[in-house]
Amino acid sequence: MSIPKAYVEHVAVWVKDIHWHIRFFNDVFGMTLREVQGTVEDPVQYWNLGGMQFMSAPDFEGPDGRLGHLGVMCEDMEAALAAAWQFDVSEMPQGRNWLRLPDGLAVEFIQASPAASVAQILAINPRV
């Protein structure tokens, strides 16, 4: 079995002030809205073009930016899931494509659409 090709498609973080984070990533990096749960005025979750997902947690008393989960885009999600089950992982309530690693990290496995080439994304050298 070959190793599935995949990349981190988004990073989800819990934040107290979701609007501050939306403005920061928009104004500094130009990362604009891709999707919102709730409304733009009152978002529960906000995804931007650039791979960030902000999850609103205004009552949290710890540090901002707590990692919620990694969203990993897979060329072959079923093969990646099969490989993952060889490790000490557990399924999460969100569904069979959500796994909790032994250290607590949550990983969302996402199937790439046929038109989206994981190999093309992985071929991009961000340092050039």
Side-chain angles (χ1 to χ4, degrees), residues 76-94:
D76 183 344
M77 185 182 79
E78 293 304 323
L81 284 167
W85 281 109
Q86 302 306 308
F87 294 85
D88 184 22
V89 299
S90 56
E91 186 175 316
M92 297 178 63
Q94 292 91 325

Side-chain angles (χ1 to χ4, degrees), residues 11-14 53 55 65-70 92 94 98 100 104-107:
V11 176
V13 294
W14 293 98
Q53 175 185 352
M55 301 179 298
R66 296 176 294 136
L67 181 63
H69 68 271
L70 297 179
M92 297 178 63
Q94 292 91 325
W98 285 79
R100 174 92 52 206
L105 179 62
V107 181

Side-chain angles (χ1 to χ4, degrees), residues 7-15 21 25 31 34 45-55 65-73 98 105-108 110:
Y7 65 92
V8 175
E9 189 271 334
H10 69 272
V11 176
V13 294
W14 293 98
V15 296
H21 286 82
F25 280 83
M31 294 181 181
R34 181 181 85 188
Q45 296 188 79
Y46 181 101
W47 294 260
N48 69 23
L49 293 170
M52 295 299 300
Q53 175 185 352
F54 303 116
M55 301 179 298
R66 296 176 294 136
L67 181 63
H69 68 271
L70 297 179
V72 180
M73 184 68 69
W98 285 79
L105 179 62
V107 181
E108 174 188 11
I110 306 164

